[in-house]
Amino acid sequence: QVQLAESGGGSVQAGGSLRLSCTTSGYIYSTSCMGWFRQAPGKEREGVATIYTTRSANTFYADSVKGRFTISQDNAKKTLFLQMNSLKPEDTASYSCAAFGGCAGLGWYGRNYWGQGTQVTVSS
């Protein structure tokens, strides 16, 4: 059974940093990219960053996080990361990692696997 598990969330003050991790277990069949998504209360889920798990490792970011967040992966350890710097109160949300059959920018298609999410709260 495929499982994605996020960790690293917490509460920080504006300007602070957090590093989210997403570990995968089980066989993730036929996926070529992974990503981080977030959802704040009363808002729709939005894409934060995606990365191709192929050799190219191309990355895509939401405009709101460019220059502050970095997505990376450790394929050997089957772990996805999201380094978040210069956090703002508007970054407060539940952050989930996911694996997909394919990605197009921050969009995805095909098979999809999701974690349960980890809460990030940024206070002003």
Side-chain angles (χ1 to χ4, degrees):
Q1 183 175 354
V2 174
Q3 289 187 324
L4 284 75
E6 303 92 342
S7 62
S11 298
V12 296
Q13 291 191 328
S17 298
L18 284 174
R19 190 191 196 205
L20 304 184
S21 299
C22 172
T23 56
T24 62
S25 60
Y27 180 67
I28 297 181
Y29 177 74
S30 189
T31 59
S32 66
C33 64
M34 296 188 71
W36 289 96
F37 292 72
R38 67 186 182 186
Q39 187 168 20
K43 295 187 177 181
E44 293 188 354
R45 184 175 62 196
E46 63 172 346
V48 175
T50 57
I51 184 169
Y52 284 93
T53 55
T54 56
R55 185 173 298 179
S56 69
N58 287 342
T59 57
F60 298 90
Y61 295 92
D63 288 342
S64 59
V65 306
K66 280 181 182 177
R68 301 188 298 122
F69 290 11
T70 303
I71 188 171
S72 62
Q73 60 189 347
D74 183 333
N75 286 336
K77 296 182 179 179
K78 299 167 65 175
T79 304
L80 182 73
F81 303 99
L82 184 68
Q83 178 66 44
M84 306 187 294
N85 298 328
S86 302
L87 282 161
K88 303 175 181 180
E90 50 264 43
D91 295 319
T92 296
S94 177
Y95 285 71
S96 298
C97 66
F100 306 111
C103 289
L106 294 177
W108 57 270
Y109 55 89
R111 295 179 183 270
N112 58 98
Y113 306 90
W114 294 84
Q116 293 297 313
T118 185
Q119 180 66 34
V120 171
T121 303
V122 184
S123 58
S124 57

